[in-house]
Amino acid sequence: MRAINGSAVAAAVLICALLPGPAVASASSGYVVRTLDAPSAANTFLYGLNAAGDVVGQGYDADSTISYGEARVAGQWKHPLRVGAAVDTSFTSLNNARVLAGSYTTAGGVGTAFLLRQGRRHDFVASPRASFTSAGINDRGDIAGTYANGNTGRLRGFAIVRGVPRTFVVPQSTMTQAFSINDQEQIVGWYADASGSHGYVLKARQFITIDVAGAYLTRAFGISNRGDVTGYFIRHRGGRPIAFVWSQGHVTELPSLPDSTGSA
């Protein structure tokens, strides 16, 4: 069976691997949902994993005012990371060389994306008022994420591929966010326009929209080297998020954990 791993509280991005922990199977989807909890966190959110089954994410303290980057490598949770006096620190992705990508946000609301390689952090800073967040990384070290313009506040996707930086927006969108990049340089994320919220894949500079049929909104967050996309959708306004996998245009709905408010 295939497996989708998530946090005991929530997971913003679906991650696929066989890991120990409580499991919920779904015969119809062929997936198993497992839970993981960072031992130092009151609430755990998981965002990415690599081929070895290492996972990364974010843990919040008891009153949810401060968050830390959390990583589970070779089956062991590492010491959580808080960058300086940042109110939010998260690991959002890691590659097979165990280079971690993440972001942190100051009390003033400025976000900075970073890479963590062998304990050394490299920040991506555009200007004092601009923000880079939600970085994803592939095995070559290309990254993708979200850029907030310091003057207008509009959200755009950004990527640094083969050392060349660029930003992008889905045409006619009011905002575009990017979360993941695979080794084929395909970027995944979601955007908003006058009709609502939609997932997308950016492939060879062409946008492919992902919409779950009949859904109120669709959002995409992760992509494999095969091009499979993970995300969540909501059937109706005020409804719970439902996790899905999109593969070659086909959507598979994933099971929710018992007593959960969603599987996103």
Side-chain angles (χ1 to χ4, degrees):
M1 256 191 187
R2 292 174 290 180
I4 296 292
N5 301 277
S7 148
V9 178
V13 176
L14 304 174
I15 51 181
C16 305
L18 289 172
L19 294 172
V24 176
S26 169
S28 60
S29 69
Y31 287 89
V32 174
V33 177
R34 301 182 184 273
T35 64
L36 292 172
D37 288 297
S40 61
N43 296 306
T44 304
F45 296 78
L46 299 180
Y47 301 131
L49 92 170
N50 63 14
D54 304 324
V55 297
V56 295
Q58 183 177 26
Y60 279 87
D61 60 12
D63 57 5
S64 296
T65 57
I66 303 295
S67 72
Y68 303 79
E70 298 280 2
R72 186 177 186 270
V73 178
Q76 300 294 320
W77 288 99
K78 299 298 184 181
H79 185 75
L81 173 71
R82 181 185 182 188
V83 177
V87 293
D88 285 299
T89 303
S90 66
F91 295 132
T92 48
S93 181
L94 81 165
N95 63 18
N96 289 322
R98 291 176 172 162
V99 179
L100 280 68
S103 63
Y104 63 91
T105 305
T106 65
V110 176
T112 301
F114 67 85
L115 296 182
L116 189 67
R117 188 193 307 267
Q118 297 180 338
R120 293 175 178 251
R121 195 182 83 242
H122 173 72
D123 290 353
F124 295 91
V125 180
S127 72
R129 296 185 59 196
S131 294
F132 281 134
T133 58
S134 307
I137 187 170
N138 65 15
D139 280 343
R140 192 173 55 230
D142 302 326
I143 67 169
T146 302
Y147 166 76
N149 184 288
N151 295 316
T152 66
R154 185 184 183 190
L155 298 180
R156 307 169 63 95
F158 84 88
I160 302 175
V161 177
R162 301 178 187 270
V164 179
R166 65 186 176 98
T167 64
F168 55 87
V169 295
V170 176
Q172 283 76 57
S173 67
T174 56
M175 56 87 75
T176 300
Q177 295 196 66
F179 293 94
S180 184
I181 181 170
N182 66 13
D183 290 347
Q184 281 68 53
E185 301 175 12
Q186 298 169 346
I187 297 170
V188 73
W190 63 272
Y191 69 94
D193 62 13
S195 66
S197 175
H198 319 269
Y200 73 84
V201 176
L202 176 55
K203 180 179 179 181
R205 296 188 177 269
Q206 297 294 316
F207 290 98
I208 300 170
T209 294
I210 300 173
D211 277 321
V212 175
Y216 169 69
L217 65 79
T218 303
R219 293 178 177 175
F221 295 97
I223 186 167
S224 71
N225 284 333
R226 193 170 59 184
D228 297 335
V229 173
T230 56
Y232 73 82
F233 69 95
I234 295 177
R235 294 191 192 281
H236 54 81
R237 189 180 183 90
R240 66 180 179 86
I242 301 169
F244 72 86
V245 174
W246 179 90
S247 181
Q248 297 180 347
H250 176 73
V251 172
T252 300
E253 181 178 328
L254 301 179
S256 297
L257 294 171
D259 303 320
S260 72
T261 56
S263 56

